[in-house]
Amino acid sequence: MAKVTFNIPDISCGHCEQTIIKALQPLDGVRKVTVDIPSKQAEVDYDDTRITVERMKEVLTGADYPAISVQPGPRENSLSSRVAGRSCCGA
């Protein structure tokens, strides 16, 4: 499982949010789509063995919400996600 955040400057309202969710959610491999209107971002949890970030960008562009940048998130099985929130002393 992987996560990616798309920066989409054209997000402005709930209609935009619903359009983005309806465009991405049905794609094979997409698990969850969350849109944050104030930050103009869409976060997608997906199976990177079934869909690519490039494919999701194409779908967003086709829905008239092109992403201007992409921020990859940590993989669920990565070391950084397993130790998140822990300090160097284990507290």
Side-chain angles (χ1 to χ4, degrees):
M1 189 65 118
K3 186 177 289 196
V4 65
T5 301
F6 295 100
N7 294 311
I8 307 170
D10 294 336
I11 296 173
S12 61
C13 66
H15 179 264
C16 301
E17 175 183 19
Q18 290 305 309
T19 301
I20 291 166
I21 291 170
K22 286 179 182 178
L24 293 174
Q25 193 66 58
L27 298 175
D28 184 36
V30 171
R31 303 288 171 116
K32 181 180 177 186
V33 179
T34 306
V35 176
D36 184 64
I37 297 167
S39 70
K40 298 184 180 291
Q41 294 183 328
E43 184 176 270
V44 182
D45 293 334
Y46 68 101
D47 181 343
D48 60 357
T49 65
R50 299 174 80 181
I51 190 165
T52 65
V53 170
E54 285 304 314
R55 176 66 183 132
M56 289 184 276
K57 283 179 66 175
E58 290 171 4
V59 169
L60 286 169
T61 298
D64 291 328
Y65 290 94
I68 60 164
S69 65
V70 177
Q71 302 164 5
R75 291 182 55 91
E76 281 187 12
N77 295 329
S78 71
L79 179 62
S80 62
S81 64
R82 286 183 291 180
V83 297
R86 299 185 82 180
S87 70
C88 62
C89 61

